[in-house]
Amino acid sequence: SSNSSSLLLRPGMVLLRGYLSLSDQKKIVERCRELGVGVGGFYQPGYGEGVEMHLKMMCLGKNWDPHTSQYGEQRPFDGAKPPLIPPEFHTLVSNALRDSNALFPHDPLPSISPDICIVNFYSQTGRLGLHQDKDESKDSLRRGLPVVSFSIGYSAQFLYGDHRDPDKAQKLQLESGDVLIFGGPSRNVFHGVTAIDTTTAPNLLQHINLRPGRLNLTFRQY
Ligand code: AKG
C-alpha cells in the first residue's frame, strides 16, 4: 500500500511512507510481544558497547551480539537460541522490496532472504547512536543486500549520512507504518535515532496495542 509520499532519499535508500497497514502493525506488535516474553526474548543490552544503545533488543533467526559485534546461533549471556523469523514477516519484507523496486525502477535493489531480524523497543527516552550495519558477511555487504526496517508506534527522529558526526547528518522523521530500505550504494550509510517523539498520534498506540514507545524491526541477510 505504498503511497505517493514514498521517497528515494538517496541512491539505494528508499522510504516507503505508511507502507504497513494498521492491521499489519497490530499483528507485528502482537507477535513481537509473544516472542519477546519467551526464551531468547527482549533484554537490555549493557553499556560499554561500541554504540550507545538505550533500548531493549531481541534477535530473530540469528543472534547479533552488541558486545562483540558478532553473529551467532545463540546468545552468549544465556545460551538462548533466537526464535525463528515468523513467515508473515518474510512476506512483508519481500513485498516491500518488490514495491520499492516498482516505484524506483532506476535504482533497483537486490531482494533478500532475511536470516536475521533485530527487534528494538525504544521507551520514551530511547535512542541509538549513529552507526553502520557492517557485521553481516563480506558477501552480503559487497552485494549491497538491503537492510529493511519497519517502524511502529511513536515516531523517531532518525539521522543518516556519510559520517558518524550527527551535525553532518540528514534528519528524517520515521512514523508508524514506515518502511525504510537501505542497500546498494547506501548499504554502509551511518544511521541512528536521536529521540522518540511522544507527541505523535495519541490514538495510534491503542489501535495497534503497543505500550508507550517505538518498535523497530530491521531485517538483513547475513
Ligand atoms: C539498527 O537496528 O541497526 C538500527 O539502526 C535501528 C534504527 C531504528 O530504530 O530506526
Side-chain angles (χ1 to χ4, degrees), residues 120 122 128 131 133 149 158 174 191 193 214 216 218 220:
N120 292 325
Y122 299 80
L128 175 61
H131 66 283
D133 291 354
S149 156
F158 184 83
L174 285 181
H191 58 284
V193 169
R214 171 174 182 265
N216 172 263
T218 58
R220 310 129 195 239

Side-chain angles (χ1 to χ4, degrees), residues 4-188:
S4 54
S5 51
S6 292
L7 294 170
L8 182 64
L9 298 169
R10 43 184 265 162
M13 190 168 189
V14 171
L15 174 63
L16 299 176
R17 188 65 96 187
Y19 183 81
L20 302 166
S21 69
L22 276 180
S23 127
D24 284 339
Q25 295 177 51
K26 194 173 176 200
K27 286 180 203 151
I28 294 168
V29 168
E30 206 172 293
R31 181 68 77 226
C32 288
R33 178 176 296 113
E34 281 166 14
L35 296 172
V37 297
V39 173
F42 282 113
Y43 73 103
Q44 174 103 47
Y47 294 99
E49 319 292 356
V51 179
E52 259 197 299
M53 301 179 78
H54 295 261
L55 45 77
K56 291 203 168 86
M57 185 175 98
M58 119 175 112
C59 295
L60 308 177
K62 294 182 186 298
N63 185 65
W64 176 76
D65 179 37
H67 272 289
T68 58
S69 298
Q70 302 266 320
Y71 280 102
E73 301 304 318
Q74 282 172 283
R75 302 206 294 211
F77 68 93
D78 66 357
K81 241 179 97 64
L84 295 176
I85 301 175
E88 64 272 24
F89 290 8
H90 282 280
T91 306
L92 289 168
V93 170
S94 56
N95 289 350
L97 284 168
R98 179 202 61 202
D99 292 345
S100 171
N101 283 339
L103 277 171
F104 304 107
H106 299 296
D107 259 270
L109 288 169
S111 67
I112 55 169
S113 303
D115 50 10
I116 162 90
C117 171
I118 298 183
V119 184
N120 292 325
F121 181 80
Y122 299 80
S123 72
Q124 293 159 348
T125 56
R127 60 183 194 274
L128 175 61
L130 275 173
H131 66 283
Q132 295 166 301
D133 291 354
K134 55 177 169 48
D135 301 326
E136 293 72 35
S137 71
K138 282 205 175 81
D139 188 56
S140 178
L141 297 172
R142 184 184 53 76
R143 290 160 64 198
L145 297 189
V147 175
V148 178
S149 156
F150 295 177
S151 290
I152 297 175
Y154 282 144
S155 298
Q157 285 174 35
F158 184 83
L159 294 188
Y160 67 95
D162 289 320
H163 309 276
R164 196 183 296 278
D165 182 353
D167 295 330
K168 293 184 180 154
Q170 308 264 98
K171 285 198 181 110
L172 176 67
Q173 173 115 335
L174 285 181
E175 296 165 5
S176 201
D178 287 354
V179 173
L180 179 71
I181 301 170
F182 52 96
S186 287
R187 183 59 179 78
N188 294 326

